[in-house]
Amino acid sequence: MSATIHRIAGRAPSLDPMIGLVAGDMNLVNAVILDRMQSQIPLIPELAGHLIAGGGKRMRPMLTLASARLVGYTGTRHHRLAASVEFIHTATLLHDDVVDGSDLRRGKRTANIIWGNPASVLVGDFLFSRSFELMVEDGSLKVLKILSNASAVIAEGEVNQLTAARRVDLGEDRYLDIIGAKTAALFAAACRIAAVVAERDEEDEAALDAYGRNLGIAFQLVDDAIDYTSDASTMGKDAGDDFREGKMTLPVILAHARGNAEDRRFWKDAVEGRRDSDADFAHAIDLVRDTRAVDDTLARARHYGQRAIDALGRFPGGKAKDAMVEAVEFATARAY
């Protein structure tokens, strides 16, 4: 399959068409989010609000809304379900920042740095619970199955990544398993549930699932590449976080495989935590550049992006489809 995505003529790809498409629905989703993050315990809305209002694009709930528009759904069930998707995502971010010991999230101090690890974990648990309340209120066992399965798969992916940390022998297949679980599973579920509430057939469900899953993989591949190409202001996190945490992302897997014996010794020391200075990170950047590891990671991202676009082929053209195609363009263009 071709890895070439047709670029939009005359301008950089943007999420603006999708944002505009779902703006009215997103206001209703935000109202649900604000309502359901409230608690008589002041710390809960304070901490949750820090992350929820922290400048994120809300891409996952937007995908639910855009997918609903694509399949012609005219009801209101997708508003609560999009909020449920966002709560799942936010809860996993709170937990991930604790696990990773992160200092920055979207350019702001992480909740665990401000309020501590126990509060971040417990508020994450609260948001998971709110998410499942919204699923139950929707009343569809099929929706509940899709989103609960995605939640379990995300947790499995995070545990898989944790056990793979600091292991220089991590292979590409396991890496793809990890990102397919921890990132792509929620993208897929967010899209698929729109077909369920619209009572579309299994083929439409599968197509939206494939769109979201491939978009999620492309999105994560680009994230992993820009850890070696961008600064904190661009990324919203510290450049080199993945490097210092010993994560075997695809740029490292490729650079390690393509390097000479000296390069592989460096990567082994770096992944195992013995080379984590600024100078070491600069050397790592040189290695991923010289081995074309970043270029090839981004080429893989474009390949999965094209698969996402191809999955929309069964749906008629229109503003929703155009916006969802451009969202793929945006996801794969962020590193340029």
Side-chain angles (χ1 to χ4, degrees):
M1 180 178 293
S2 170
T4 301
I5 294 177
H6 298 294
R7 297 291 169 195
I8 296 164
R11 62 181 175 85
S14 167
L15 277 182
D16 289 346
M18 182 176 286
I19 291 170
L21 177 77
V22 303
D25 288 325
M26 200 68 214
N27 287 336
L28 296 171
V29 173
N30 287 334
V32 175
I33 290 171
L34 290 172
D35 177 59
R36 295 308 179 95
M37 62 184 264
Q38 297 308 311
S39 168
Q40 294 181 349
I41 310 302
L43 177 60
I44 292 176
E46 183 181 3
L47 191 154
H50 171 79
L51 186 54
I52 289 173
K57 297 178 180 65
R58 302 269 173 95
M59 191 164 186
R60 292 153 188 83
M62 281 201 298
L63 287 172
T64 299
L65 301 177
S67 296
R69 187 68 65 91
L70 181 70
V71 296
Y73 179 64
T74 57
T76 61
R77 290 169 59 192
H78 59 319
H79 298 145
R80 287 186 177 185
L81 293 176
S84 178
V85 166
E86 182 66 5
F87 279 149
I88 293 171
H89 176 56
T90 305
T92 61
L93 294 185
L94 287 169
H95 291 167
D96 290 353
D97 286 342
V98 171
V99 171
D100 295 340
S102 300
D103 298 327
L104 283 178
R105 167 73 65 181
R106 299 166 184 160
K108 297 172 59 177
R109 286 198 302 162
T110 54
N112 54 296
I113 295 299
I114 299 172
W115 288 280
N117 289 342
S120 291
V121 170
L122 293 172
V123 173
D125 292 344
F126 172 86
L127 295 179
F128 265 126
S129 300
R130 283 290 194 239
S131 174
F132 278 87
E133 283 181 353
L134 289 165
M135 295 178 215
V136 171
E137 288 172 15
D138 177 71
S140 168
L141 285 176
K142 192 169 189 178
V143 166
L144 179 61
K145 181 178 181 180
I146 291 169
L147 290 177
S148 61
N149 177 257
S151 299
V153 169
I154 292 165
E156 288 177 331
E158 294 294 350
V159 173
N160 196 4
Q161 179 172 265
L162 181 66
T163 59
R166 307 284 181 194
R167 290 190 54 179
V168 76
D169 60 344
L170 181 73
E172 184 175 339
D173 287 346
R174 186 173 177 189
Y175 163 81
L176 288 172
D177 285 343
I178 289 170
I179 68 171
K182 77 183 191 72
T183 301
L186 189 56
F187 275 73
C191 296
R192 184 169 201 138
I193 58 175
V196 176
V197 299
E199 299 181 349
R200 300 295 285 257
D201 59 28
E202 291 284 345
E203 287 76 15
D204 282 355
E205 282 186 42
L208 284 175
D209 185 289
Y211 168 81
R213 194 172 305 278
N214 284 291
L215 172 56
I217 293 173
F219 193 91
Q220 188 62 55
L221 284 166
V222 173
D223 260 12
D224 291 346
I226 62 178
D227 194 64
Y228 292 90
T229 61
S230 298
D231 57 23
S233 62
T234 302
M235 301 168 63
K237 65 176 184 176
D238 290 329
D241 272 358
D242 290 347
F243 172 77
R244 295 182 178 90
E245 291 164 11
K247 290 182 179 178
M248 285 295 289
T249 58
L250 188 58
V252 178
I253 292 170
L254 296 178
H256 175 265
R258 295 169 180 177
N260 58 32
E262 181 181 350
D263 296 338
R264 288 193 291 273
R265 281 194 297 272
F266 167 81
W267 284 119
K268 180 176 174 61
D269 287 344
V271 168
E272 294 177 357
R274 294 186 294 274
R275 300 288 294 269
D276 59 2
S277 69
D278 289 345
D280 292 326
F281 179 51
H283 183 54
I285 291 174
D286 288 339
L287 292 179
V288 296
R289 182 188 65 237
D290 293 345
T291 58
R292 298 188 61 81
V294 166
D295 290 342
D296 286 347
T297 297
L298 295 175
R300 306 281 179 88
R302 292 191 293 274
H303 168 74
Y304 282 101
Q306 189 64 57
R307 291 177 63 174
I309 292 172
D310 291 345
L312 297 179
R314 65 184 286 109
F315 299 106
K319 289 183 178 180
K321 186 173 181 177
D322 290 346
M324 292 174 72
V325 168
E326 188 163 347
V328 178
E329 299 275 4
F330 169 80
T332 56
R334 291 175 301 141
Y336 298 97

